[in-house]
Amino acid sequence: MKTQFENETITVDLDGHNVRLDVFVGTVLSQTRSMVKNLVTEKHILLDGKVVTKAGTVLKTGQVIEVSLPLVETGIVPSKIPLDILYQDDCLVVVNKQQGLAVHPSPGHQDDTLVNALLYCIDNLSGINGEIRPGIVHRLDKETSGVILVAKTNEAHLCLSTQFEKRTVKKKYIGIVEGFLQSESGTIHLPIARSKSDRKKMAIVEGGRPASTKFKALERLKKSTLVEFDILTGRTHQIRVHTKHLGNPIVGDVLYGSQKQCKNQLLHAQSITFAHPITGKNMFFTAPLPDYFEKFLKANKVSDTQKENL
């Protein structure tokens, strides 16, 4: 697949003097700061002919910024993959993503992702996130099921992305962890970064990106615990890494757990709350637990007598 780019040239004026590059470029091109940071990471921004390495570079009047904006990848093949669409209007779609479905194409997953499925059944998707992620505002891990938002228009995408950046979007997850928690509730504040020993994993790393996860035990099962999670930040594998650090990894998690209790990863994005990008109306959606999740719960329930002995 070949990526197409749209080139933009910006001359820094008085409004951009002493302003961070990610802030200025984001304002001029109607992009979020996180998107501009991604462009910097991918070396798609030049400043006076040189590749920008820091999104926080302070600008001076007269400097010239060249930006290569990736467009929607034209080589993606729409695929007829069943989707559980919870809601849809002219600017957004809310999907209950099934476990095992990657969100966007990557090596090894070229035509069997949520993006492929969306292109098959949705006429228009936002192109603002570029390349191979049309419409994708945020992500869920492949083996995590549940609610995910998709933008149909660039205007909706920008509004939703801003809400995520300001942390006004509220997401709740339901998971089952191995064993019993030492504390019934609490908040985990531990930084996360790529593992230095295994590039497939994330890890608790000093100097990593700040990450905060609230948790609350809902029910003790035979050898595990049903837990509600509220993520205050959105780092890769955040819940899975934080629970692993507690000594209670998510049941069925191949990377961070033992997978002995269940063949399915028992982590589900249960609900999401956000403001509608056009009307401003408060929107709230929930996704029912998958069948395998419900079956595990039923099979691992304990009686009142057994609870007293736990």
Side-chain angles (χ1 to χ4, degrees):
M1 294 187 291
K2 184 179 180 180
T3 304
Q4 297 180 349
F5 292 89
E6 178 181 17
N7 297 316
E8 295 279 354
T9 300
I10 308 166
T11 299
V12 180
D13 55 18
L14 290 175
D15 290 335
H17 186 68
N18 282 336
V19 175
R20 287 171 56 109
L21 179 139
D22 54 353
V23 174
F24 182 68
V25 172
T27 301
V28 174
L29 298 182
S30 296
Q31 301 279 341
T32 62
R33 285 176 63 181
S34 63
M35 292 178 187
V36 177
K37 289 177 182 177
N38 287 337
L39 291 174
V40 170
T41 300
E42 295 169 6
K43 300 181 179 180
H44 290 325
I45 299 182
L46 302 180
L47 181 61
D48 290 338
K50 296 181 179 180
V51 174
V52 175
T53 58
K54 295 182 179 180
T57 299
V58 178
L59 301 173
K60 296 180 181 178
T61 303
Q63 288 184 305
V64 177
I65 304 170
E66 298 172 70
V67 184
S68 295
L69 287 169
L71 302 176
V72 175
E73 179 63 69
T74 57
I76 300 178
V77 178
S79 300
K80 190 176 181 180
I81 300 171
L83 287 181
D84 180 10
I85 296 178
L86 302 175
Y87 174 82
Q88 181 177 185
D89 61 23
D90 291 339
C91 67
L92 63 89
V93 185
V94 183
V95 177
N96 177 20
K97 186 188 81 68
Q98 59 264 45
Q99 185 184 69
L101 185 67
V103 170
H104 56 75
S106 61
H109 296 282
Q110 296 296 336
D111 57 8
D112 57 350
T113 72
L114 177 63
V115 165
N116 300 101
L118 289 167
L119 289 174
Y120 183 87
C121 63
I122 305 296
D123 291 333
N124 299 300
L125 291 173
S126 161
I128 208 165
N129 211 14
E131 296 191 6
I132 57 177
R133 295 174 288 177
I136 301 303
V137 181
H138 65 117
R139 294 179 62 254
L140 287 179
D141 295 338
K142 179 186 172 186
E143 299 303 327
T144 299
S145 59
V147 181
I148 186 169
L149 293 181
V150 177
K152 283 186 169 184
T153 67
N154 287 354
E155 181 181 7
H157 197 135
L158 285 170
C159 181
L160 293 172
S161 293
T162 299
Q163 291 183 52
F164 273 101
E165 285 188 354
K166 293 182 177 180
R167 300 179 184 174
T168 57
V169 177
K170 304 300 180 185
K171 296 188 291 181
K172 287 193 179 294
Y173 290 73
I174 293 291
I176 298 179
V177 301
E178 297 179 10
F180 305 133
L181 298 171
Q182 289 187 351
S183 299
E184 293 297 300
S185 63
T187 302
I188 307 166
H189 298 290
L190 291 170
I192 292 176
R194 184 71 58 183
S195 171
K196 297 178 181 179
S197 59
D198 187 342
R199 302 303 294 174
K200 292 182 180 180
K201 293 183 177 182
M202 306 300 288
I204 305 300
V205 178
E206 185 177 353
R209 302 184 70 185
S212 299
T213 304
K214 293 178 66 176
F215 66 91
K216 178 182 178 181
L218 300 179
E219 182 179 359
R220 280 196 174 191
L221 305 172
K222 291 179 179 178
K223 296 180 180 180
S224 54
T225 308
L226 180 67
V227 185
E228 178 183 85
F229 298 99
D230 182 358
I231 58 173
L232 308 181
T233 53
R235 308 305 180 206
T236 301
H237 299 179
Q238 179 173 315
I239 293 174
R240 299 164 63 192
V241 172
H242 276 171
T243 53
K244 170 68 173 181
H245 183 79
L246 290 180
N248 304 99
I250 297 294
V251 170
D253 189 336
V254 177
L255 274 183
Y256 304 103
S258 65
Q259 206 191 15
K260 292 179 180 179
Q261 296 185 51
C262 184
K263 66 178 181 179
N264 299 102
Q265 179 176 291
L266 300 182
L267 181 60
H268 179 70
Q270 186 179 49
S271 69
I272 192 165
T273 305
F274 61 97
H276 192 279
I278 303 300
T279 67
K281 178 182 177 182
N282 189 58
M283 308 291 283
F284 173 73
F285 296 96
T286 61
L289 292 174
D291 289 342
Y292 58 82
F293 203 120
E294 292 280 14
K295 288 179 180 178
F296 185 92
L297 272 176
K298 185 177 180 180
N300 287 273
K301 290 276 187 180
V302 294
S303 66
D304 292 337
T305 302
Q306 290 173 316
K307 287 181 181 177
E308 292 178 0
N309 296 323
L310 288 177

